[in-house]
């Protein structure tokens, strides 16, 4: 790998299934050869995140930065930025990273940070998206990959996946159907994004 490698840093807070889908796609499709890209680190703000062990099992180094050890959101984000930047990232991928980000942090990665959100944005920003889609009587739900901006869940849309809402759906059955599509859509959207990135 040359020094021009496009390093990808993934941020998680929980199960890390999107992170794992991304690492597996990068490995199986040999993104190093085809895109000059590689996943260099997985960082969690939660010490107990299940995704940490999963990342290690997939051969990617992990780091934990517990937000509870910081007095302010700004202090945590500044420390996180230092940790991320040590990897010289070309792309920061939020994969179930359940933090509201400060404007300075977002600005630092402007155009280079993506997120997957479990709704068809602009509908249902924020939390409890699946229950809200059911309660609203939606016939379709889904997920969105978007650029991260300071305005929560409002950045430029890069990809969307649509699934039906079935009559007997609960939030968890709908979430599982959407998540399966996230695992297909997110690696593909990141691949498309990397292709358009200028060399680091
Ligand atoms: C995913 O459904 C993702 O869309 C959602 O959290 C889940 C993480 O699952 N993200 C958000 O709600 C961000 N606001 P995972 O840890 O198994 O990838």
């Amino acid at each position: 790998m040359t020094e021009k490698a496009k390093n990808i840093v993934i941020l998680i807070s929980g199960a890390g299934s999107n992170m794992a889908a991304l690492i597996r796609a990068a490995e199986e499709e040999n993104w190093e050869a085809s895109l000059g890209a590689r996943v260099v680190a997985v960082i969690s703000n939660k010490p107990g995140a299940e995704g940490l062990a999963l990342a290690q099992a997939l051969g990617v180094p992990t780091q934990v930065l517990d937000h509870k050890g910081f007095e302010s959101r700004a202090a945590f984000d500044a420390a996180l930025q230092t940790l991320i930047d040590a990897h010289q990232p070309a792309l920061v991928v939020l994969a179930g990273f359940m933090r509201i980000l400060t404007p300075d942090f977002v600005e630092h990665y402007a155009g280079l940070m993506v997120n997957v959100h479990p709704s068809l944005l602009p509908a249902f920003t924020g939390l409890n998206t699946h229950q809200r889609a059911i309660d609203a009587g939606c016939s379709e739900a889904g997920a969105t990959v978007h650029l991260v901006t300071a305005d929560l869940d409002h950045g430029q849309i890069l990809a969307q996946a649509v699934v039906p809402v079935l009559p007997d759906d609960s939030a968890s059955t709908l979430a599982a159907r959407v998540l399966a599509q996230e695992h297909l859509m997110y690696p593909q959207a990141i691949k498309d994004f990397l292709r358009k990135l200028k060399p680091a």
Side-chain angles (χ1 to χ4, degrees):
M1 207 70 210
T2 70
E3 57 194 357
K4 288 188 175 174
K6 292 171 184 163
N7 290 340
I8 302 170
V9 173
I10 306 178
L11 307 186
I12 65 167
S13 299
S17 68
N18 276 293
M19 167 214 75
L22 179 55
I23 293 171
R24 288 191 181 110
E27 183 70 26
E28 285 163 13
E29 298 168 9
N30 198 357
W31 287 10
E32 276 205 39
S34 58
L35 295 163
R38 57 185 179 180
V39 179
V40 293
V42 169
I43 301 173
S44 171
N45 67 307
K46 293 208 172 169
E50 287 170 55
L52 288 166
L54 190 51
Q56 286 155 19
L58 290 165
V60 176
T62 59
Q63 294 172 298
V64 173
L65 188 68
D66 189 346
H67 62 274
K68 289 187 179 153
F70 291 83
E71 283 185 1
S72 68
R73 198 174 282 283
F76 171 77
D77 279 6
L80 181 60
Q81 186 175 311
T82 301
L83 210 57
I84 294 169
D85 285 353
H87 298 288
Q88 299 186 290
L91 179 65
V92 178
V93 173
L94 308 186
F97 187 61
M98 304 304 281
R99 295 277 307 167
I100 290 175
L101 303 168
T102 53
D104 282 352
F105 181 88
V106 172
E107 180 59 32
H108 182 71
Y109 300 107
L112 299 173
M113 182 157 59
V114 294
N115 181 44
V116 64
H117 179 77
S119 79
L120 293 173
L121 292 174
F124 308 122
T125 61
L127 299 174
N128 303 319
T129 54
H130 304 299
Q131 190 59 54
R132 287 160 63 207
I134 291 168
D135 292 347
C138 297
S139 60
E140 290 182 329
T144 303
V145 177
H146 64 95
L147 283 176
V148 177
T149 59
D151 199 2
L152 183 72
D153 301 329
H154 274 86
Q156 182 192 331
I157 291 174
L158 302 176
Q160 289 190 306
V162 181
V163 302
V165 179
L166 302 180
D168 55 354
D169 261 336
S170 64
S172 63
T173 58
L174 180 56
R177 191 174 310 119
V178 170
L179 192 60
Q181 293 307 309
E182 293 183 38
H183 296 162
L184 301 174
M185 168 176 64
Y186 209 11
Q188 184 62 49
I190 288 170
K191 218 163 43 164
D192 293 344
F193 188 82
L194 286 168
R195 281 204 191 94
K196 291 179 197 153
L197 266 188
K198 293 193 184 116

